[in-house]
Amino acid sequence: MGSVKRKSVEESSDCAPPQKIQREDDDSTQIINEELVGCVHDVSFPENYLPPAPSSQENNKPPAKEFPFTLDSFQSEAIKCLDNGESVMVSAHTSAGKTVVASYAIAMSLRENQRVIYTSPIKALSNQKYRDFKEEFSDVGLMTGDVTIDPNASCLVMTTEILRSMQYKGSEVMREVAWIIFDEVHYMRDSERGVVWEESIVMAPKNSRFVFLSATVPNAKEFADWVAKVHKQPCHIVYTDYRPTPLQHYVFPAGGNGLYLVVDEKAKFHEDSFQKSLNALVPANDADKKRENGKSQKGLMLGKLGEESDIFKLVKMIIQRQYDPVILFSFSKKECEALAMQMSKMDLNSDDEKDSVETIFTSAIDMLSDDDKKLPQASIH
């Protein structure tokens, strides 16, 4: 089911010109576009910066990429910064559509026959973005440490650690990079891994431009001031606190039944619903209390004998109410295994899907040699 996107109230061409506000602190000038609905646009200039004369030839260029939907105001503002050849930080909630800006930057680089690097904090995200961009642009490579695909491609998707390693080694690729896209740049605040982003930005080529994609952070202006100072170039900040996907908080009482909405999409706390969830908690017996006080809470993990466990009831309810897809987190590998085993008997497939699974499995087994078919892993229980 697709999410309904908020349309921009004003087209970009109808936006009023930005109001310039001079600030004494940090020797920077801040531009605030108050007229835009749903986003705030600031820009930090380095000290003694003189803006280049506008080129009529650049203004007449067609867009590098057309989108089949109306862009939100923050997307339009960020793309205008890219068209002007200036770095931008996009700060917005998850699922707001920040990838649109990254996609436009890649399309613009490929149009100009320039090299662009897209970095993300984790390998899984890099793999996903590689598949997405490969399908759209084709001239895309992947470098994650584990896997290297087409390292000479014009667009390279990699983890931020790989980018820093390339910078340390003085890779020839870095001299050709025109744009660097840092996804999830708010990781820079992490006490352990943040230094990777800091060093990657500092060591980036001085003639390169940046696209920073971030969750909403309180110090976006401070970050842009730092980038402008380090690289002697303007850095825009486009910020929106609009959340296209409503965020709701439900409570499932351990040992009980039902979900209780405690915080709605407007961040309103429902005291009555919270009290109902507390009243629905099943009193723990002495043995359960003893387990809860210890380091391992196996009572919660395994459930009681002859009853459906909490995790089974919760997932079953989520599927019935069509709240799926769902992700379950656990901080223990052993517990993840135990939770998965509890749900092994849960039937999530329709009759047609069951037939498809059986056909695929049977075909795979038939392709094995006679010796392999005798292995315990291949035997049908």
Side-chain angles (χ1 to χ4, degrees), residues 329-345:
F329 288 97
S330 176
F331 295 102
S332 163
K333 289 182 180 179
K334 188 176 180 182
E335 194 167 297
C336 281
E337 224 172 281
L339 293 173
M341 291 304 296
Q342 286 178 48
M343 292 183 289
S344 60
K345 294 183 180 180

Side-chain angles (χ1 to χ4, degrees), residues 175-198:
R175 300 180 187 179
E176 306 167 3
V177 173
W179 288 86
I180 303 177
I181 303 164
F182 288 90
D183 198 0
E184 312 289 352
V185 76
H186 54 268
Y187 268 73
M188 190 169 172
R189 301 171 68 188
D190 186 86
S191 58
E192 295 181 2
R193 295 183 65 198
V195 66
V196 177
W197 277 260
E198 187 175 347

Side-chain angles (χ1 to χ4, degrees), residues 109 114-116 174 176-180 207-210:
S109 297
Q114 297 172 330
R115 176 160 277 177
V116 57
M174 296 308 303
E176 306 167 3
V177 173
W179 288 86
I180 303 177
N207 60 341
S208 61
R209 297 292 180 263
F210 306 96

Side-chain angles (χ1 to χ4, degrees), residues 107-135:
M108 191 173 64
S109 297
L110 297 180
R111 182 189 65 183
E112 304 296 332
N113 295 317
Q114 297 172 330
R115 176 160 277 177
V116 57
I117 288 178
Y118 182 102
T119 75
S120 74
I122 52 178
K123 295 176 184 178
L125 184 56
S126 295
N127 293 336
Q128 177 197 331
K129 293 299 181 184
Y130 167 73
R131 288 192 295 270
D132 294 343
F133 293 146
K134 183 72 174 177
E135 187 177 336

Side-chain angles (χ1 to χ4, degrees), residues 225-273:
D225 289 342
W226 175 70
V227 173
K229 183 178 180 180
V230 169
H231 284 278
K232 303 292 189 291
Q233 60 173 274
C235 184
H236 296 255
I237 312 114
V238 178
Y239 173 89
T240 178
D241 59 0
Y242 175 75
R243 188 185 288 275
T245 304
L247 184 63
Q248 299 173 327
H249 296 266
Y250 288 84
V251 169
F252 179 86
N257 289 291
L259 292 171
Y260 298 85
L261 177 66
V262 292
V263 181
D264 62 20
E265 62 275 7
K266 296 180 181 178
K268 180 184 176 183
F269 181 74
H270 294 259
E271 179 70 33
D272 55 339
S273 184

